[in-house]
Amino acid sequence: MKQFLRRLFCNHSYQITRWHWFHGFTTMEPRRLEVEHRCSKCGKITYSYPERGSNAAEFVLTLTEKEW
């Protein structure tokens, strides 16, 4: 119960933990990005699917290139 209330009232600060390319939900689509975000305060995990060529996708790709 305590964990549920913590996640409910948390001011989430998400950080990108990992990403990968995948072929959509039907495996017939062109490659897309799946990005996992984790809140550093409560541990909640969310996923996002930015479109190819969008600013969000470019940001994820350039961010990870700098880290490696």
Side-chain angles (χ1 to χ4, degrees):
M1 185 70 173
K2 196 184 260 186
Q3 182 74 7
F4 173 74
L5 290 175
R6 184 185 312 164
R7 284 187 179 179
L8 184 64
F9 295 111
C10 180
N11 293 330
H12 300 295
S13 64
Y14 290 111
Q15 297 176 346
I16 296 174
T17 55
R18 59 185 172 174
W19 64 272
H20 67 97
W21 291 102
F22 78 112
H23 283 286
F25 299 106
T26 62
T27 67
M28 299 286 216
E29 302 170 14
R31 290 192 317 167
R32 296 184 60 183
L33 273 175
E34 181 178 40
V35 183
E36 180 183 276
H37 307 272
R38 177 175 286 211
C39 178
S40 60
K41 297 177 183 176
C42 69
K44 182 178 179 180
I45 297 174
T46 60
Y47 295 92
S48 65
Y49 303 94
E51 294 292 326
R52 281 184 92 171
S54 67
N55 290 338
E58 296 298 322
F59 173 74
V60 170
L61 294 175
T62 57
L63 177 70
T64 55
E65 287 175 0
K66 291 178 185 176
E67 291 177 359
W68 297 104

